[in-house]
């Protein structure tokens, strides 16, 4: 058994250096004992680095976060995954792999621990149980870390053809969150949500409803543009249930960090992502709903692109949308 001694509980650099050398020399996971600090048995020098190999960037981001977790097995689990990735580089995208799922869960908890500065034990509560004050001032740093991690997202196949991940934007202290469907053609190119035609209509409606977009957080249920090519044009294509589910990982991170008082689902895809099941707009529109994640209340309205498409009563539909937003503003003023 080879003992690797790391300098501290979250010694990512030490783990990485050792893991590289061990993997390069073909040392199997069961032959390595990972220890932290000075106590323990004799350590052996690391083997000379073997043939260099590369791992997906997403793995390093995952590993960096997982080492913040308190699970004593974290270093060994990461090393096992590293070896498996050499055989199957696409493994991280297989959301069903139990090791990947376990490490992703640990990454989430490790991240929460880092920005709340609390022991991991306290992080098992729902969002509703954890007060905003407990969150401390590190929310922005946590959000930036998640956004960075999302850049390398391969949780579903959509990353392959999109230009980039389009993450949410807005103040992390915003009490109001808007969730759209997915970036469109222009958002995909700009890397920002709701900047194309639907975004412009959305901005107009927000203005008419007296809501300052700069004070809200705006994001999408799915973070990569899904489209079909027709000649030179890229035609929007609706994300399916699997893609929405795969991307819920990111919106859950955004919601855990922001903990908005009120969340507005713009259309059915957003509502499906937030409620974890299919809901119809007509049955849910215009009133408050509890969210399964315990994080504030949700309101549902139409997607702005519906207003671009609709042929009959265009103005009336727009007025209804603005009326929904006014109700949201009034509700927020009452409860925030
Ligand atoms: N439609 C969306 O749902 N989101 C965007 O960011 C743009 C268009």
């Amino acid at each position: 058994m080879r003992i690797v001694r790391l300098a501290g509980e979250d010694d990512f650099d030490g783990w990485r250096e050792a893991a590289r050398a061990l993997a390069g020399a073909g040392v199997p996971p069961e032959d390595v004992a990972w220890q932290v600090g000075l106590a323990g048995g004799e350590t052996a020098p690391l083997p000379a680095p073997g043939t260099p190999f590369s791992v997906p960037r997403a793995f390093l981001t995952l590993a960096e976060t997982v080492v913040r977790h308190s699970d004593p097995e974290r270093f060994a689990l990461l090393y096992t995954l590293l070896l498996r990735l050499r055989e199957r580089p696409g493994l991280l995208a297989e959301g069903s792999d139990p090791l990947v799922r376990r490490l992703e869960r640990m990454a989430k908890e490790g991240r929460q621990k880092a920005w709340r500065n609390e022991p991991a034990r306290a992080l098992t509560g729902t969002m509703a149980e954890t007060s905003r004050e407990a969150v401390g001032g590190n929310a922005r740093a946590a959000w930036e870390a998640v956004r960075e991690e999302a850049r390398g997202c391969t949780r579903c196949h959509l990353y392959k053809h999109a230009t980039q991940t389009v993450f949410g934007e807005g103040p992390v202290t915003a009490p109001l969150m808007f969730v759209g469907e997915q970036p469109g053609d222009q958002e995909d190119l700009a890397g920002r949500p709701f900047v194309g035609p639907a975004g412009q209509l959305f901005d107009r409606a927000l203005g008419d409803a007296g809501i300052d977009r700069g004070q809200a957080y705006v994001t999408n249920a799915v973070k990569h543009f899904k489209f079909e090519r027709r000649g030179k044009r890229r035609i929007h294509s609706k994300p399916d249930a699997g893609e929405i589910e795969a991307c819920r990982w990111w919106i859950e991170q955004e919601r855990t960090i922001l903990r908005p008082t009120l969340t507005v689902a713009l259309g059915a895809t957003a509502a499906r992502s937030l409620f974890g099941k299919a809901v119809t707009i007509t049955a849910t529109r215009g009133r408050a709903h509890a969210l399964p994640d315990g994080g504030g209340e949700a309101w549902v309205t139409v997607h702005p692109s519906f207003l671009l498409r609709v042929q009959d009563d265009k103005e009336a539909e727009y007025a209804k949308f603005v009326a929904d937003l006014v109700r949201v503003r009034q509700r927020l003023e009452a409860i925030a």
Side-chain angles (χ1 to χ4, degrees):
M1 175 68 68
R2 181 185 288 274
I3 295 176
V4 177
R5 182 135 327 118
L6 299 171
E9 291 291 346
D10 56 359
D11 181 10
F12 171 70
D13 291 338
W15 174 84
R16 183 159 72 162
E17 189 194 341
R20 254 202 201 131
L22 294 166
V27 179
E30 58 275 16
D31 286 357
V32 188
W34 299 88
Q35 294 185 357
V36 173
L38 296 174
E42 280 299 302
T43 55
L46 289 173
T51 323
F53 63 97
S54 63
V55 289
R57 184 157 150 255
F59 170 72
L60 290 178
T61 318
L62 176 78
E64 201 165 0
T65 317
V66 165
V67 297
R68 295 187 199 136
H69 200 278
S70 54
D71 189 320
E73 285 190 76
R74 61 196 181 284
F75 297 113
L77 293 172
L78 285 170
Y79 183 58
T80 304
L81 180 57
L82 174 71
L83 292 183
R84 288 183 58 202
L85 276 171
R86 292 181 72 184
E87 307 303 318
R88 271 169 65 189
L91 186 63
L92 279 186
E94 294 171 27
S96 59
D97 184 88
L99 177 60
V100 173
R101 284 177 79 106
R102 180 169 172 191
L103 286 164
E104 283 181 343
R105 249 194 332 269
M106 287 165 66
K108 191 168 171 182
E109 289 165 7
R111 195 178 301 114
Q112 288 170 339
K113 178 180 168 205
W115 64 270
R116 285 184 192 159
N117 265 337
E118 289 177 343
R121 165 180 52 75
L123 301 175
T124 51
T126 63
M127 284 200 286
E129 288 163 349
T130 316
S131 71
R132 233 172 222 285
E133 293 72 49
V135 165
N138 295 331
R140 185 83 203 171
W143 177 82
E144 280 170 5
V146 176
R147 186 188 53 175
E148 194 52 35
E149 195 177 328
R151 283 191 214 281
C153 180
T154 55
R155 296 183 66 83
C156 77
H157 64 110
L158 293 182
Y159 76 95
K160 290 183 187 163
H161 304 292
T163 307
Q164 57 191 314
T165 304
V166 178
F167 207 63
E169 68 175 22
V172 292
T173 49
L176 178 59
M177 174 185 275
F178 287 99
V179 182
E181 182 193 71
Q182 62 160 348
D185 182 73
Q186 294 194 27
E187 287 80 10
D188 170 77
L189 297 172
R192 294 184 51 212
F194 282 107
V195 293
Q200 283 156 26
L201 185 70
F202 181 46
D203 284 347
R204 174 155 80 93
L206 286 174
D208 288 346
I211 296 174
D212 177 358
R213 175 166 168 172
Q215 300 300 313
Y217 185 84
V218 179
T219 191
N220 283 301
V222 172
K223 308 284 195 258
H224 279 118
F225 179 35
K226 180 177 179 185
F227 60 92
E228 280 170 28
R229 262 191 207 285
R230 291 212 200 120
K232 286 195 172 153
R233 294 178 63 211
R234 303 190 299 171
I235 309 296
H236 162 277
S237 159
K238 212 172 168 51
D240 65 27
E243 290 148 0
I244 297 169
E245 189 53 36
C247 218
R248 273 180 84 191
W249 167 260
W250 297 116
I251 198 153
E252 280 175 12
Q253 307 291 317
E254 290 173 294
R255 294 182 51 67
T256 305
I257 292 170
L258 268 92
R259 303 161 41 71
T261 306
L262 206 150
T263 302
V264 181
L266 299 167
T269 298
R272 179 177 194 123
S273 170
L274 289 167
F275 291 105
K277 61 179 186 190
V279 295
T280 53
I281 303 299
T282 38
T284 48
R285 186 173 187 175
R287 59 197 162 85
H289 300 271
L291 279 167
D293 65 11
E297 63 183 50
W299 289 63
V300 179
T301 185
V302 294
H303 191 283
S305 63
F306 162 76
L307 303 169
L308 292 172
R309 282 194 316 268
V310 72
Q311 296 297 328
D312 299 334
D313 292 332
K314 225 177 175 53
E315 279 311 306
E317 290 296 348
Y318 177 78
K320 266 168 73 181
F321 181 56
V322 172
D324 283 348
L325 296 177
V326 168
R327 259 197 297 271
V328 160
R329 174 175 56 74
Q330 289 169 342
R331 176 72 181 149
L332 190 63
E333 284 164 0
I335 63 175

